[in-house]
Amino acid sequence: DQQVKQNSPSLSVQEGRISILNCDYTNSMFDYFLWYKKYPAEGPTFLISISSIKDKNEDGRFTVFLNKSAKHLSLHIVPSQPGDSAVYFCAASAIGDMRFGAGTRLTVKP
Amino acid sequence: DAGVIQSPRHEVTEMGQEVTLRCKPISGHNSLFWYRQTMMRGLELLIYFNNNVPIDDSGMPEDRFSAKMPNASFSTLKIQPSEPRDSAVYFCASTGQGSGTEAFFGQGTRLTVV
């Protein structure tokens, strides 16, 4: 039962352009949403998050948007850089629980 | 704090053998998660603990898998007997009290069952 879904397994963008990664969830009890970045042979590292009481959170080049009615969130990276190439996981949390999507592999080409 | 510590980093074992993966969460964190990374399902939640108590183990694939958290600073994930399809990277993560906090991950254990 996939409560968090990332339907795009991969995304390729040109350096300097915007990267948009999408995520959908099914459980309306989730109240906190996170994005993690993962490099090979390392554990996922926290990138940015958003509470369900907000619809946007920005941190430098990274912005997360939340659409609660659609149960959808997205991560925007602008401008994209080659160092952003990694697997990005979306996560949704309720108290004591945290579920992840399947990940999207982002490749930023120079 | 050294972060979440997992051991071993790599494990190669023969089919049918028992495998034990270990995790030391960040001190003061009260939730601990075990995930398995697969191509199809990404980070698949196997089980999580709150205050050392297992809360949801519905993600544990079979009875061959078991997890324990005897105290706040240690958890194990055991597979007995192991099978080749168990080969994956297993991650442990911990987080603090309540909602609105991020989970911190260990480096993972890459398990290969031959």
Side-chain angles (χ1 to χ4, degrees), chain A residues 5-92:
Chain A
K5 296 180 181 179
Q6 293 176 256
N7 292 320
S8 297
S10 63
L11 174 68
S12 181
V13 300
Q14 206 67 35
E15 180 180 6
R17 299 292 184 100
I18 185 171
S19 297
I20 300 177
L21 297 95
N22 293 301
C23 177
D24 298 289
Y25 61 96
T26 58
N27 189 343
S28 58
M29 296 300 292
F30 290 136
D31 59 3
Y32 192 64
F33 304 89
L34 311 93
W35 285 94
Y36 281 77
K37 181 177 180 180
K38 185 184 180 304
Y39 293 117
E42 295 182 8
T45 55
F46 171 72
L47 185 59
I48 192 171
S49 63
I50 187 167
S51 164
S52 60
I53 63 173
K54 294 185 175 182
D55 55 18
K56 177 182 175 182
N57 186 29
E58 189 173 352
D59 183 3
R61 297 186 296 113
F62 303 90
T63 303
V64 55
F65 295 92
L66 176 62
N67 182 336
K68 281 196 302 181
S69 61
K71 294 190 176 66
H72 177 84
L73 65 155
S74 61
L75 174 68
H76 292 209
I77 307 172
V78 56
S80 302
Q81 299 174 354
D84 297 329
S85 297
V87 177
Y88 289 78
F89 289 98
C90 165

Side-chain angles (χ1 to χ4, degrees), chain B residues 5 23-29 32 52 69-75:
Chain B
I5 300 173
C23 176
K24 181 180 186 305
I26 292 174
S27 177
H29 282 187
L32 183 142
N52 312 338
M69 192 165 185
N71 56 63
S73 60
F74 183 65
S75 177

